[in-house]
Amino acid sequence: MKSPFSRREWLRSGALLAAGFSGLSRWNPAQSYAARREQAFFKEFAALADDQPRIRARIAFNENPHGISPKAKEALIKAVETGHRYSWMESAQLKQLIATKEGVKPEQVMLCAGSSEILMGAALYFTGEGGKIATCRPTYDDLLELAQAFKAEIVSAPLTKEYSYDLNALKAKVTPDVKLVYICNPNNPTGTIIPPNELTAFCKEVSQKVPVFVDEAYIDFMKPEDRPVLPKLIAEGYNVLITRTFSKIHGFAGLRLGYAIGPEKMLKGLRDFTRGEFNLSVTTVMAGIASYQDTEWQSFVRAENTKGLDLLYKGLKEHGYEYTPTHANFVLFPIRMKGKKFEQEMFKNGIFTSTREFDAQPYCRVSIGTLDEMGMFMDVFKKIAG
Ligand code: PLP
């Protein structure tokens, strides 16, 4: 695929430089959306750091509350001995493992320091020169807002009444000026999924016209029969890009590891806008190799997540609250007070969770913590909202 916005081409083009062509020069991190958002984040967290002892349940960011696998811990400690080396060999090993499992070539896999890096790279690669991105909303806005902060326009269809992606409505948004379709499956913040056969058919059809990006950050929480097998489409030559992360089932949110699977040519183009494997510490990669193979730990985390969900569902039902059944490690449900007030009241009682508002209705999106954390969440919830 021809990159709509190749940094190398741009750098080579003296004429464009002389003309003051904006291109990447627009990317002023000090002013970018990401930087502004991160500033807000850090401010909030600096305040939270003082309050740290008060936080009894940290269930705001869909992190894995059980930590990393014991085998990954062992690998991490061992890897310290290799800390003076770049991680090329270890990264190649992990890419090979992923490629073998997914039935693609290692060249069709790219590792990154968390999938956020690929979301950012994709925003620049596909729409750095403008154009539209089609999606359904509400969804995970990271790539969309980053793209918008440059020059892209987002065209979106609403989710269905069941809060799922509406693929027909999305297809209708794909006009010739759409440069990318973004899908999040399971969707964050709703936890809903697209039936695998429908998503596969959509990708096959739409990717003939425009690349389809599927963010599969929460795929490991899905039942095996619900999981689409999109790497197969990539192996068959379809213009589809998927991202996965180690931040969730593997518990690597702080260690930072994610990957993309996509056509080799597309990954080459994306490389102009990410640092790929070069950003990875050898400790993270070696721990990643151990964790990737530790299916026992992944099953344990999935099973604990189900127990936490059951506890939450039961509590919400008891108090007459509706919720959207989830396929991930978080649940979205409408609340009966202003979001900020809910967050503050919960926080005062040691529960760190998050809210958002759609169509003037506030919702809580609570991550599934340990059973203890979910018990604490329900106790406080009863007190302030029951
Ligand atoms: N995609 C989705 C849907 C997410 O919810 C997240 C984080 O919560 C990410 C991507 C980014 O994850 P990371 O950069 O930690 O891999």
Side-chain angles (χ1 to χ4, degrees):
M1 198 198 83
K2 170 103 177 70
S3 161
F5 180 44
S6 155
R7 185 176 60 172
R8 285 203 191 103
E9 268 168 31
W10 171 68
L11 287 173
R12 271 201 302 267
S13 169
L16 289 174
L17 282 176
F21 174 71
S22 50
L24 263 189
S25 63
R26 259 197 320 274
W27 186 16
N28 178 350
Q31 291 166 0
S32 75
Y33 156 76
R36 273 185 280 117
R37 190 190 52 170
E38 253 161 40
Q39 258 171 18
F41 249 54
F42 287 135
K43 240 190 191 163
E44 207 167 306
F45 277 99
L48 279 177
D50 298 334
D51 264 330
Q52 188 87 345
R54 273 211 284 157
I55 303 175
R56 296 185 293 138
R58 189 167 146 170
I59 41 181
F61 296 121
N62 307 340
E63 294 155 334
N64 176 338
H66 309 288
I68 68 172
S69 104
K71 286 184 184 150
K73 267 185 207 163
E74 250 174 61
L76 196 58
I77 292 164
K78 219 162 129 204
V80 169
E81 297 300 327
T82 323
H84 57 304
R85 300 289 183 201
Y86 289 112
S87 70
W88 300 122
M89 282 194 305
E90 292 75 11
S91 290
Q93 201 185 333
L94 180 55
K95 281 209 293 192
Q96 182 63 63
L97 281 173
I98 295 170
T100 305
K101 180 162 178 247
E102 302 296 345
V104 295
K105 293 190 275 180
E107 298 76 32
Q108 292 172 323
V109 180
M110 181 169 80
L111 304 181
C112 263
S115 56
S116 300
E117 202 190 333
I118 304 162
L119 295 175
M120 187 193 74
L124 283 166
Y125 173 61
F126 292 107
T127 57
E129 274 302 274
K132 293 179 180 171
I133 301 181
T135 191
C136 284
R137 269 175 156 167
T139 192
Y140 190 64
D141 279 327
D142 210 35
L143 182 154
L144 306 171
E145 290 183 352
L146 278 162
Q148 211 170 8
F150 296 99
K151 218 177 169 183
E153 189 189 327
I154 310 303
V155 286
S156 66
L159 298 177
T160 63
K161 279 205 296 294
E162 293 75 34
Y163 295 109
S164 294
Y165 263 68
D166 184 337
L167 292 185
N168 284 328
L170 178 55
K171 214 184 288 175
K173 297 280 174 195
V174 181
T175 50
D177 46 357
V178 166
K179 301 278 190 267
L180 184 72
V181 171
Y182 174 81
I183 293 175
C184 187
N185 187 58
N187 188 32
N188 183 3
T190 57
T192 49
I193 55 168
I194 303 166
N197 52 342
E198 289 176 27
L199 180 56
T200 305
F202 177 93
C203 287
K204 278 186 169 178
E205 185 189 331
V206 175
S207 70
Q208 316 266 354
K209 290 188 227 149
V210 57
V212 180
F213 185 123
V214 186
D215 183 336
E216 297 191 325
Y218 299 95
I219 191 170
D220 304 291
F221 292 99
M222 291 167 82
K223 288 192 195 125
E225 64 270 25
D226 288 335
R227 293 180 200 172
V229 190
L230 301 180
K232 189 166 179 289
L233 297 189
I234 293 156
E236 288 169 7
Y238 286 95
N239 218 4
V240 172
L241 178 69
I242 62 174
T243 45
R244 307 249 178 96
T245 180
F246 275 63
S247 298
K248 309 300 171 184
I249 201 102
H250 295 281
F252 276 44
L255 287 170
R256 311 302 297 137
L257 183 60
Y259 61 96
I261 303 179
E264 211 176 321
K265 227 169 158 188
M266 197 193 278
L267 295 192
K268 274 200 184 126
L270 266 174
R271 245 170 233 291
D272 281 346
F273 304 102
T274 73
R275 297 297 282 158
E277 287 80 15
F278 197 62
N279 257 1
L280 293 173
S281 73
V282 72
T283 42
T284 291
V285 180
M286 284 176 78
I289 291 169
S291 190
Y292 194 71
Q293 299 176 99
D294 192 351
T295 48
E296 210 180 306
W297 182 256
Q298 293 161 41
S299 301
F300 165 75
V301 174
R302 237 184 326 267
E304 289 299 306
N305 188 60
T306 306
K307 288 184 208 163
L309 276 175
D310 289 345
L311 193 154
L312 177 72
Y313 287 165
K314 188 165 167 274
L316 291 177
K317 265 189 215 148
E318 269 170 24
H319 293 90
Y321 276 80
E322 290 189 354
Y323 54 83
T324 310
T326 190
H327 295 261
N329 64 343
F330 55 85
V331 175
L332 186 76
F333 64 95
I335 50 176
R336 299 168 192 158
M337 64 168 79
K338 289 260 177 255
K340 264 283 160 259
K341 180 158 171 53
F342 178 85
E343 272 176 27
Q344 283 162 358
E345 291 298 316
M346 293 300 281
F347 192 74
K348 270 189 224 157
N349 288 278
I351 312 294
F352 181 23
T353 189
S354 76
T355 61
R356 51 262 288 137
E357 200 168 296
F358 308 119
D359 293 333
Q361 166 63 54
Y363 290 80
C364 170
R365 193 206 63 186
V366 60
S367 308
I368 304 304
T370 60
L371 284 178
D372 279 355
E373 285 177 315
M374 298 322 287
M376 284 186 252
F377 172 84
M378 276 322 307
D379 287 347
V380 176
F381 183 77
K382 271 181 229 168
K383 202 163 90 179
I384 71 160

